[in-house]
Amino acid sequence: MQSTSTASSEPALAQPAPVRRLMSLDALRGFDMFWIAGGEEIFHVLAKTTGWAWAFFMAEQFTHVEWDGFRPYDCIFPLFLFMAGVSTPFAVGSRLERGVAKSELARKIITRGLILVVLGIVYNNGLFTKPISDMRFPSVLARIGLAGMFGQLIYLYFPNPKVQYAWFAGLLLGYWAAMKLIPVPGCGAGVLTMDCSLAGYVDRSVLPGRLYLKVHDPEGLFSTIPAIATALLGIFSGKLLRSDGPSAHRDQKTLWLVLGGISCLVLGYSWGLVFPINKNLWTSSFTLVAGGWSILMLALFYWIIDVKKVSGWAFFFTVIGMNSILIYIAGEFIDFEYAAKFFFSGILSFFSEPIRAVGAVLAFLAVKWAFLYFLYKKKVFLRV
């Protein structure tokens, strides 16, 4: 892990060439991270303080489905992993074209993946030593690290598109077959409950420490298998956007993305009839549904920013996207809420309760964004 203050230095794998070559990717990454960083609290606070029906509806959309089903908020995490895949053809592909050895690239890819696993452990457990039995090892960062790592290695060592598609299909079909056909002791085969799923059983059997839901972890080891397919969907999209062949026209690329996203949604929702859409299990149907929406979001941002060149509005999100991993972990070590109260509590005290509550959330987000903007102006970015 390193920081950089040189604008001309070569981007690392965590923030690769698309930072300059694909503006829409950083904007979309920042848009995604905005909600992770606290943006969803705007609707929760509005619902709580006003009782407005539309606020309750929006607040519900920014919560996770308890088990089976899908809401927009369930797409936040897979969208981030998907974008890590989109950046791969720009970062790894450009280095391959310059003659960098595959072994060197593989070493960097694996190192980055393992660093993210370690950062995830620190994020979950802090810097102080805990008994292993009290530590949680799976994490969002670990899933991004491992799934992204294997997706990049497939891209690196299996350059034939047909083979990459075979990997994609094999991961989803193989996971489906395993979850449906392999029996779990005391439960049998194909029982997709929190207590009886194969994913939960494998994680309980092999992972040290504690699981997030005691008997199951939504970022567990076994369900990382279909998450690799999420990264591959991003890689396929990135290859299209970087291509110079018949689809080089940007409007055509946007259309292909839209068609690809719709196809994933149709297949995913259809598959969900027999293999439920479930984020906790990262089912194959969930992979396709979340991937389909992710592709459509990328198409929208790409069309507006890179095709139509309407990009001024995206600067707010680009600042966040340039340091997305940093702002994700910074809240564990920086008290942004205290800073927000210090700077804005006096002003907010003159307003009514609903305005104070919403204003407190906006102040919290403003302090975070100001912190990122300062780093952006200083050209300081967290690299992994």
Side-chain angles (χ1 to χ4, degrees), residues 293-336:
W293 287 118
S294 297
I295 294 171
L296 292 178
M297 287 294 295
L298 176 63
L300 178 64
F301 273 65
Y302 177 74
W303 184 75
I304 294 174
I305 296 173
D306 291 303
V307 177
K308 296 302 180 182
K309 304 298 182 182
V310 182
S311 59
W313 63 275
F315 178 73
F316 174 84
F317 295 117
T318 300
V319 169
I320 303 172
M322 292 284 283
N323 258 321
S324 53
I325 294 179
L326 173 63
I327 197 59
Y328 180 79
I329 63 177
E332 295 297 305
F333 307 100
I334 301 175
D335 194 342
F336 292 107

Side-chain angles (χ1 to χ4, degrees), residues 60-74 277-280 286:
E60 184 181 33
Q61 303 312 304
F62 281 90
T63 59
H64 291 300
V65 174
E66 186 173 343
W67 196 244
D68 292 340
F70 187 86
R71 293 186 188 134
Y73 200 58
D74 294 316
I277 299 168
N278 186 303
K279 177 185 178 295
N280 274 275
F286 171 81

Side-chain angles (χ1 to χ4, degrees), residues 73-135:
Y73 200 58
D74 294 316
C75 197
I76 296 292
F77 177 20
L79 174 59
F80 199 89
L81 175 55
F82 167 83
M83 287 186 287
V86 175
S87 69
T88 297
F90 294 88
V92 179
S94 62
R95 288 168 171 80
L96 282 171
E97 291 172 359
R98 293 200 302 267
V100 179
K102 287 185 177 182
S103 58
E104 180 181 344
L105 290 172
R107 186 181 70 252
K108 291 181 178 180
I109 290 169
I110 294 171
T111 300
R112 175 184 182 267
L114 295 179
I115 288 175
L116 286 173
V117 171
V118 172
L119 286 176
I121 295 172
V122 173
Y123 180 85
N124 285 342
N125 305 286
L127 294 173
F128 301 100
T129 303
K130 286 183 178 181
I132 290 181
S133 59
D134 293 336
M135 295 178 65

Side-chain angles (χ1 to χ4, degrees), residues 11-337:
L13 290 179
Q15 303 281 355
V19 169
R20 296 192 302 265
R21 297 176 59 179
L22 200 60
M23 294 177 59
S24 54
L25 186 58
D26 270 318
L28 181 56
R29 187 186 291 114
F31 175 79
D32 193 33
M33 184 54 64
F34 171 77
W35 304 109
I36 299 175
E40 82 284 354
E41 283 299 317
I42 297 172
F43 298 109
H44 292 297
V45 168
L46 276 173
K48 182 179 179 180
T49 58
T50 67
W52 294 337
W54 70 267
F56 275 105
F57 173 79
M58 291 300 298
E60 184 181 33
Q61 303 312 304
F62 281 90
T63 59
H64 291 300
V65 174
E66 186 173 343
W67 196 244
D68 292 340
F70 187 86
R71 293 186 188 134
Y73 200 58
D74 294 316
C75 197
I76 296 292
F77 177 20
L79 174 59
F80 199 89
L81 175 55
F82 167 83
M83 287 186 287
V86 175
S87 69
T88 297
F90 294 88
V92 179
S94 62
R95 288 168 171 80
L96 282 171
E97 291 172 359
R98 293 200 302 267
V100 179
K102 287 185 177 182
S103 58
E104 180 181 344
L105 290 172
R107 186 181 70 252
K108 291 181 178 180
I109 290 169
I110 294 171
T111 300
R112 175 184 182 267
L114 295 179
I115 288 175
L116 286 173
V117 171
V118 172
L119 286 176
I121 295 172
V122 173
Y123 180 85
N124 285 342
N125 305 286
L127 294 173
F128 301 100
T129 303
K130 286 183 178 181
I132 290 181
S133 59
D134 293 336
M135 295 178 65
R136 182 189 174 216
F137 289 88
S139 67
V140 168
L141 290 176
R143 173 150 295 180
I144 293 171
L146 293 175
M149 178 185 75
F150 284 113
Q152 288 183 330
L153 290 175
I154 290 171
Y155 172 82
L156 183 64
Y157 285 106
F158 300 93
N160 188 317
K162 292 182 180 180
V163 178
Q164 292 176 4
Y165 293 140
W167 268 103
F168 176 77
L171 288 166
L172 296 184
L173 292 171
Y175 185 69
W176 179 34
M179 293 288 283
K180 283 290 191 176
L181 300 178
I182 298 177
V184 173
C187 296
V191 182
L192 303 179
T193 63
M194 189 178 298
D195 294 322
C196 288
S197 76
L198 178 65
Y201 174 73
V202 171
D203 291 343
R204 292 193 299 271
S205 301
V206 303
L207 286 174
R210 63 180 179 87
L211 303 181
Y212 185 68
L213 298 174
K214 295 184 179 180
V215 297
H216 173 81
D217 201 297
E219 284 80 52
L221 186 63
F222 192 73
S223 58
T224 298
I225 294 172
I228 300 170
T230 300
L232 287 175
L233 269 179
I235 288 173
F236 300 154
S237 301
K239 287 172 64 177
L240 170 66
L241 295 181
R242 191 171 182 265
S243 66
D244 295 319
S247 61
H249 194 282
R250 290 181 173 181
D251 284 321
Q252 290 181 335
K253 291 180 180 182
T254 305
L255 178 60
W256 279 113
L257 285 175
V258 171
L259 292 175
I262 293 174
S263 299
C264 285
L265 290 177
V266 171
L267 183 57
Y269 280 113
S270 299
W271 204 344
L273 298 175
V274 293
F275 193 24
I277 299 168
N278 186 303
K279 177 185 178 295
N280 274 275
L281 297 174
W282 212 284
T283 55
S284 305
S285 56
F286 171 81
T287 302
L288 289 170
V289 169
W293 287 118
S294 297
I295 294 171
L296 292 178
M297 287 294 295
L298 176 63
L300 178 64
F301 273 65
Y302 177 74
W303 184 75
I304 294 174
I305 296 173
D306 291 303
V307 177
K308 296 302 180 182
K309 304 298 182 182
V310 182
S311 59
W313 63 275
F315 178 73
F316 174 84
F317 295 117
T318 300
V319 169
I320 303 172
M322 292 284 283
N323 258 321
S324 53
I325 294 179
L326 173 63
I327 197 59
Y328 180 79
I329 63 177
E332 295 297 305
F333 307 100
I334 301 175
D335 194 342
F336 292 107
E337 187 175 359

